[in-house]
Amino acid sequence: MSVAACLLLYAAVVGVVAPRLLPRLTRTGIAPAAAVSVWLIVLMSVLVSWAAAATSLVIYVAHTWNQPHPLALGACLAALRSAASGHSGVATQAGLALVTAAVSAFLLGLAILVGRSLLRARTSTRRHTESARILGRRIAGVDGLVIDAPQKMAYCLGGRRGTIVITSAALAALQRPHLDAVLAHERAHLTGHHHLLLAVTRALATSLPRIRLFTVAQMDVARLLEMCADDSAIRRHGPTALLSALLTLAGADAIPSPALGASTVGIVARVSRLAEPNTTALRLRANVLLGAAASVVLGAPLLTAWSAASSTFSACAFMP
């Protein structure tokens, strides 16, 4: 029981501290790939802590079901067992059944919400990709589909065969070096499978909108993934070409919801970052800080999980 309490306390502390601390550490985007990794570690550790706490509680109840110890919690479990068996009256038994059903319905509903959100994102991406392939055309030297539209947009759509889409207006506005930088940015999204990461963070944020950890993570991860794609484009075409391309495409209409676009998320921060490249010392410092944060976040549940596993093994070994 103490293990479950520790895991739930850990998840609560991380849920309060992480959305306040991590955006400050990642604000400048000095090490965006490391920052995305830390965010994913935080989210996974919280979800795993919830599951581990529930599992630990079930194991504890199963172990003490017929042998409640004399402490108050054991007596409480014994009373609950008695009430569930109907010894305390039909009303009490029905109330316990209702509470159990409500908790089960909540957990099942959460799983359904996350699954439906992921399914909707996949369906929307597939439909838009099919439309783009019908309406778009191939042009020599352009790694993507060109769609006739007055808006200056460039974005990519994930899936089994990732697709880059660029409008005719954007194609006309961008010089060749700038176009190559934008296409490299979008290709980096596809090769890095960034759409999958965003789909998961969006599903969690949509399913648990009242938990700030998931809503902040969704926004911050989206911004950091754009910076990761920026870095990939910079390595091939330099910061000047990408910066000019972003300024050319800035202010365009919103891209389709399932897509990832070069000029839609965190433009101000990304332009500042491109205009003032980070030094090696700053990147090293950011990686050290993020590594320390990840170690703290990951170390606590691992230590608790090891304690839980040891306790469970001991309980099972000596169980009559």
Side-chain angles (χ1 to χ4, degrees):
M1 181 59 68
S2 60
V3 171
C6 289
L7 287 171
L8 292 176
L9 178 61
Y10 160 82
V13 171
V14 171
V16 172
V17 174
R20 290 171 172 79
L21 178 61
L22 284 183
R24 295 181 183 179
L25 292 177
T26 64
R27 181 173 59 248
T28 57
I30 296 177
V36 170
S37 299
V38 172
W39 264 119
L40 295 178
I41 289 173
V42 168
L43 296 180
M44 185 61 65
S45 67
V46 169
L47 294 174
V48 170
S49 294
W50 287 351
T55 302
S56 177
L57 181 61
V58 169
I59 292 173
Y60 177 82
V61 172
H63 180 59
T64 60
W65 187 257
N66 293 317
Q67 297 177 337
H69 55 73
L71 297 180
L73 185 57
C76 178
L77 289 174
L80 287 174
R81 181 170 65 91
S82 176
S85 301
H87 297 159
S88 299
V90 176
T92 304
Q93 186 180 22
L96 285 173
L98 184 61
V99 170
T100 303
V103 173
S104 301
F106 169 76
L107 295 175
L108 179 61
L110 178 59
I112 292 174
L113 285 175
V114 173
R116 288 179 61 184
S117 179
L118 293 173
L119 183 60
R120 282 197 301 267
R122 180 183 178 184
T123 302
S124 179
T125 299
R126 182 180 299 175
R127 288 177 178 173
H128 195 86
T129 300
E130 292 174 353
S131 299
R133 288 175 180 167
I134 293 173
L135 299 175
R137 65 183 190 277
R138 294 286 181 179
I139 295 180
V142 178
D143 182 21
L145 294 172
V146 178
I147 294 179
D148 293 323
Q151 298 84 8
K152 295 182 294 184
M153 293 189 296
Y155 55 90
C156 64
L157 296 161
R160 184 174 302 176
R161 293 183 298 167
T163 303
I164 296 175
V165 178
I166 184 168
T167 62
S168 56
L171 192 63
L174 293 170
Q175 299 178 20
R176 187 68 216 192
H178 306 163
L179 174 62
D180 290 339
V182 169
L183 294 176
H185 174 101
E186 302 304 338
R187 181 57 58 187
H189 279 315
L190 295 177
T191 56
H193 302 289
H194 293 171
H195 57 285
L196 297 178
L197 299 179
L198 278 184
V200 172
T201 55
R202 284 172 179 168
L204 290 172
T206 302
S207 303
L208 300 166
R210 295 182 180 275
I211 300 180
R212 191 166 178 265
L213 172 67
F214 298 108
T215 56
V216 172
Q218 189 270 324
M219 294 184 292
D220 210 35
V221 168
R223 177 179 59 86
L224 291 167
L225 289 177
E226 291 298 331
M227 292 180 176
C228 289
D230 286 345
D231 287 347
S232 180
I234 288 171
R235 285 192 290 269
R236 297 185 60 184
H237 303 283
T240 302
L242 182 60
L243 177 59
S244 299
L246 289 179
L247 294 176
T248 300
L249 297 178
D253 293 345
I255 63 173
S257 58
L260 290 166
S263 60
T264 55
V265 178
I267 290 296
V268 175
R270 290 164 59 203
V271 166
S272 300
R273 180 173 178 267
L274 292 172
E276 299 178 3
N278 299 307
T279 64
T280 302
L282 287 175
R283 287 193 294 270
L284 179 61
R285 177 175 175 270
N287 280 315
V288 169
L289 289 175
L290 290 170
S295 299
V296 171
V297 169
L298 194 58
L302 284 177
L303 184 60
T304 307
W306 174 260
S307 175
S310 300
S311 301
T312 302
F313 177 78
S314 300
C316 293
F318 294 101
M319 186 179 293

